């Protein structure tokens, strides 16, 4: 997977058959790129955990009370993952589902640290 710099957006972008990645110019580093590569490998195994995190979220369930984890997995769609560095140089990020089949008017978001650890619904 190769990152390409977008001058207009001032970010690096990479697209695979399953995921899209964005790394802002100020966060682009070897650590961020290697984390993206590892997330690309881990994402299929983490998808159930992401869906369960959403189902366990009070805010999510307030709007979508009838959805179960398995249905969420099927309806999330292709993710866009933004990776950033905190002040200590640690990688964190946001998974955005812009084209989800849960609610066409809402972007479904989850935040995480490192290689899809400490996943939290937004």
């Amino acid at each position: 997977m190769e990152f390409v710099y977008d001058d207009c957006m001032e970010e690096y972008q990479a697209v695979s058959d399953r995921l899209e990645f964005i790394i802002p110019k100020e966060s682009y580093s070897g650590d961020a790129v290697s984390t993206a590569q590892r997330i690309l490998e881990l994402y299929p195994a983490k998808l159930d955990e992401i869906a369960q995190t959403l189902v366990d979220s009070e805010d999510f369930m307030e709007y979508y009370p009838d959805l179960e984890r398995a249905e969420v997995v099927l309806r999330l769609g292709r993710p866009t993952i933004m990776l950033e560095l905190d002040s200590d140089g640690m990688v964190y990020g946001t998974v955005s589902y812009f084209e989800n089949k849960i609610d066409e008017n809402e972007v479904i978001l989850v935040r995480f640290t490192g290689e899809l650890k400490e996943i939290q619904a937004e």
Side-chain angles (χ1 to χ4, degrees):
M1 178 173 61
E2 182 179 337
F3 279 88
V4 176
Y5 185 69
D6 182 323
D7 285 324
C8 293
M9 300 299 292
E10 295 188 355
E11 64 191 16
Y12 290 84
Q13 303 169 351
V15 178
S16 78
D17 58 335
R18 294 176 291 176
L19 308 167
E20 294 181 32
F21 288 94
I22 297 170
I23 303 174
K25 182 172 119 176
E26 61 275 4
S27 293
Y28 190 78
S29 68
D31 285 344
V33 171
S34 63
T35 298
Q37 191 63 43
R38 186 72 178 123
I39 289 172
L40 180 63
E41 297 165 8
L42 291 171
Y43 182 80
K46 290 287 197 169
L47 185 53
D48 275 342
E49 183 180 345
I50 290 169
Q52 190 63 51
T53 299
L54 290 168
V55 169
D56 290 344
S57 163
E58 287 182 27
D59 290 338
F60 187 83
M61 292 314 294
E62 180 179 335
Y63 293 100
Y64 317 108
D66 298 329
L67 288 181
E68 295 182 9
R69 183 200 46 78
E71 189 174 358
V72 171
V73 167
L74 295 174
R75 296 173 71 182
L76 281 175
R78 182 187 181 117
T80 299
I81 300 173
M82 178 174 287
L83 298 174
E84 299 181 76
L85 297 177
D86 67 13
S87 59
D88 296 325
M90 302 298 293
V91 178
Y92 68 96
T94 305
V95 182
S96 303
Y97 297 95
F98 294 105
E99 298 174 11
N100 71 80
K101 305 275 189 289
I102 295 169
D103 187 335
E104 295 174 5
N105 296 315
E106 292 293 326
V107 176
I108 307 295
L109 301 171
V110 294
R111 298 200 188 281
F112 63 92
T113 60
E115 298 171 351
L116 291 175
K117 298 176 183 170
E118 298 177 27
I119 298 169
Q120 300 175 344
E122 282 294 307

